[in-house]
Amino acid sequence: MTVETYQPEPTENQTTTLSSPQKALHQQSQNHSGEGSKIGFVSLGCPKNLVDSERILTQLRTEGYDVVPSYDDADMVIVNTCGFIDSAVQESLDTIGEALAENGKVLVTGCLGAKEDEIKEVYPNVLGITGPHAYENVLEQVHQHVAKPKHNPFLNLVPDHGVKLTPKHYAYLKISEGCNHRCTFCIIPSMRGDLDSRPIGEVLNEAKRLADAGVKELLVISQDTSAYGIDTKGKTTFWDGMPLKTNFLTLCEQLGKLGIWVRLHYVYPYPHVDNVIPLMAAGKILPYLDIPFQHASKRILKLMKRPGNVDKTLERVQKWREICPELVIRSTFIVGFPGETDAEFEELLEFLKQAQLDRVGCFKYSPVEGAVANDLPDPVSEEVKEERFHRFMALQQEISTSRLAKRVGHTYDILIDEVDEEGAIGRCFADAPEIDGLVYLNDETSIKVGDVVKAKIIASDEYDLWAELI
């Protein structure tokens, strides 16, 4: 199998957009009759935005609209935008412009939609603009410009779990909206509001529907996953005849009973995160934590308004690994934050050496319009940011290479994502789709996408593994 080495480093033009939505839309459009009103749809941004797209698409399909992944012959185009970082904003604006040029009738929704005036300034002829998770408003705008189909050929074809923009074997489960934190580099709360947890029964019903539909892996997401239920003060509700508290631990316990992979993303390192590690050790949920630590200097973390006791962080990581030796930790960091000194960057490198994190992404600090950090003194030059970025990634590459080499000789369950004439590509428990590494099974063409197979790791490099079936 021809291997393209996985590269986790952000490039100058990197955005948060995933590749799965476009693939899924294309596949779904091939199965449609083409008789309904056609809505072109473009989904940009992160998994949280992808879930918003899925909800809009589910309602469109329920009402009989034919959703297509192109501008051709579409009666209207909806662009679900991202506004998290400058490159994502530019990608969103470019896509809106392209849709207008190719089709002419465009609705804009998503995070960038929260900045309506900015969009209108560039593209005054868009038909409508809504912010994130404004599902009903999007549908109302569609109805204004494209009438509901009188005959609904899809009414009985929309699955119970709704329309998904991921392969059939994994799905994102969004448990809340918004965030109560005010990190100085982030503008998400101004776009998506404060924390708003979904009722635990509603989340578990969705999770069960997905599991019943054949989903093998749930990726739990939100702006702040471990804060789940804090806004409701842990309200007790009934689900399936059981009284359940609306909190992070209870949700993880219940999801762990589904018998499928459960992977936790965007976990803020609250003390109560410690309580889910035994569930991982017991095999109830995957031993995988996605925790954006962001930095290791106490002063920089304070400027970021992030948790700042790095010594305790290292102690907790060590304790977690004692309880659950298989635990994989993914994180992201920012280099070149305003005021970051050479000594503070060295602190960050030292933290990497001690923490030995498995999967790490790095971003060079970039001012985002509306972020408090823009006004901090002593900005770091682009040249210094670049140099620190490469030093950071070179060190983490060494760590990743070493940690993956220890997997050689071990046997794991591999969830298959892709099969072609050269073999299969999958992931083990340590790898989230589209952001982590891959497991290659050369010449294995008889297995199918969505299969879970046992395989022995026979080789590794900086980011990926190679295996052979047992």
Side-chain angles (χ1 to χ4, degrees):
M1 175 172 290
T2 302
V3 175
E4 294 183 7
T5 302
Y6 171 72
Q7 296 291 344
E9 305 101 299
T11 65
E12 292 297 330
N13 299 316
Q14 187 194 24
T15 68
T16 58
T17 296
L18 306 173
S19 62
S20 60
Q22 190 72 2
K23 294 178 182 177
L25 279 169
H26 179 72
Q27 184 177 19
Q28 291 168 19
S29 69
Q30 292 179 324
N31 299 326
H32 294 174
S33 66
E35 297 174 359
S37 300
K38 291 185 178 180
I39 304 295
F41 201 96
V42 182
S43 182
L44 306 175
C46 65
K48 296 177 282 293
N49 223 37
L50 178 147
V51 173
D52 291 348
S53 293
E54 290 175 337
R55 291 177 180 173
I56 295 169
L57 288 169
T58 297
Q59 189 57 40
L60 287 169
R61 288 288 310 281
T62 299
E63 293 185 2
Y65 291 99
D66 191 356
V67 181
V68 296
S70 65
Y71 308 124
D72 300 338
D73 300 322
D75 298 298
M76 168 184 289
V77 176
I78 300 173
V79 181
N80 191 6
T81 60
C82 178
F84 181 54
I85 54 178
D86 286 351
S87 55
V89 170
Q90 190 58 53
E91 179 189 34
S92 294
L93 291 173
D94 290 346
T95 303
I96 295 167
E98 180 181 85
L100 283 168
E102 296 291 331
N103 183 277
K105 298 177 69 175
V106 177
L107 292 179
V108 177
T109 189
C111 287
L112 189 60
K115 300 180 178 181
E116 182 174 353
D117 292 343
E118 293 185 21
I119 296 173
K120 283 285 190 181
E121 185 177 345
V122 182
Y123 301 116
N125 52 336
V126 295
L127 296 177
I129 300 173
T130 56
H133 54 266
Y135 320 122
E136 293 181 0
N137 292 338
V138 173
L139 268 295
E140 288 172 2
Q141 291 184 348
V142 171
H143 298 157
Q144 291 175 19
H145 301 282
V146 181
K148 283 186 182 182
K150 293 181 180 179
H151 169 62
N152 187 343
F154 303 125
L155 183 59
N156 297 320
L157 300 179
V158 178
D160 290 341
H161 57 273
V163 176
K164 291 297 173 184
L165 294 178
T166 49
K168 293 180 180 179
H169 59 284
Y170 71 83
Y172 294 100
L173 180 69
K174 184 155 68 167
I175 63 175
S176 64
E177 292 286 359
C179 181
N180 288 342
H181 294 289
R182 296 297 183 264
C183 301
T184 58
F185 54 82
C186 181
I187 58 173
I188 291 298
S190 66
M191 295 178 173
R192 292 185 173 263
D194 290 335
L195 178 68
D196 183 11
S197 300
R198 295 175 63 193
I200 191 167
E202 180 182 306
V203 174
L204 293 174
N205 280 335
E206 181 180 351
K208 189 175 186 305
R209 287 195 299 270
L210 289 166
D212 290 344
V215 166
K216 305 284 182 67
E217 177 182 15
L218 286 178
L219 300 115
V220 181
I221 60 169
S222 66
Q223 307 301 327
D224 183 359
T225 295
S226 45
Y228 177 71
I230 288 177
D231 55 316
T232 69
K233 298 181 180 179
K235 179 181 178 180
T236 298
T237 58
F238 281 83
W239 179 75
D240 199 23
M242 297 182 294
L244 297 177
K245 289 186 177 295
T246 305
N247 62 41
F248 180 56
L249 178 60
T250 301
L251 179 63
C252 290
E253 289 172 339
Q254 295 303 314
L255 291 175
K257 296 177 181 180
L258 293 174
I260 60 177
W261 285 7
V262 176
R263 191 182 302 276
L264 302 178
H265 287 277
Y266 315 118
V267 178
Y268 196 87
Y270 300 107
H272 66 253
V273 171
D274 297 356
N275 298 329
V276 305
I277 306 301
L279 293 178
M280 296 178 177
K284 303 297 184 182
I285 61 176
L286 291 182
Y288 180 102
L289 274 179
D290 177 358
I291 300 183
F293 290 121
Q294 305 298 9
H295 212 278
S297 159
K298 291 181 180 179
R299 190 183 76 88
I300 295 298
L301 287 167
K302 186 175 181 180
L303 290 175
M304 290 179 170
K305 291 194 174 179
R306 298 284 299 179
N309 196 328
V310 176
D311 292 338
K312 284 194 173 181
T313 297
L314 288 170
E315 288 177 12
R316 291 176 72 197
V317 168
Q318 181 179 357
K319 181 182 177 183
W320 292 343
R321 286 174 170 158
E322 289 172 357
I323 297 171
C324 183
E326 285 292 298
L327 178 65
V328 166
I329 302 176
R330 142 168 280 282
S331 190
T332 52
F333 294 86
I334 297 173
V335 297
F337 191 80
E340 181 190 59
T341 64
D342 288 339
E344 288 165 336
F345 176 67
E346 293 296 337
E347 284 184 59
L348 177 55
L349 296 184
E350 184 58 32
F351 175 84
L352 281 186
K353 293 174 185 177
Q354 293 187 46
Q356 293 288 299
L357 304 178
D358 300 86
R359 304 293 192 188
V360 171
C362 181
F363 291 88
K364 291 172 283 187
Y365 174 78
S366 174
V368 177
E369 186 175 351
V372 174
N374 298 344
D375 299 325
L376 292 174
D378 304 319
V380 178
S381 71
E382 292 302 318
E383 292 77 14
V384 172
K385 288 180 191 176
E386 187 75 13
E387 185 266 340
R388 290 177 181 173
F389 170 82
H390 287 291
R391 285 184 62 197
F392 179 102
M393 291 310 304
L395 173 58
Q396 181 55 35
Q397 188 177 73
E398 293 178 9
I399 294 170
S400 177
T401 301
S402 173
R403 293 191 70 80
L404 286 179
K406 294 176 182 178
R407 298 198 181 279
V408 174
H410 292 267
T411 299
Y412 300 107
D413 286 340
I414 309 298
L415 180 58
I416 303 301
D417 287 333
E418 182 181 343
V419 181
D420 61 22
E421 66 279 1
E422 296 183 14
I425 302 175
R427 295 174 289 110
C428 70
F429 75 92
D431 309 308
E434 300 204 48
I435 58 172
D436 291 332
L438 301 168
V439 180
Y440 292 92
L441 294 101
N442 293 345
D443 302 321
E444 296 293 346
T445 57
S446 61
I447 51 183
K448 298 177 181 178
V449 171
D451 284 351
V452 177
V453 300
K454 284 199 177 295
K456 182 178 180 180
I457 307 302
I458 58 172
S460 65
D461 66 6
E462 299 92 339
Y463 303 114
D464 300 317
L465 299 170
W466 281 259
E468 55 187 19
L469 293 182
I470 297 297

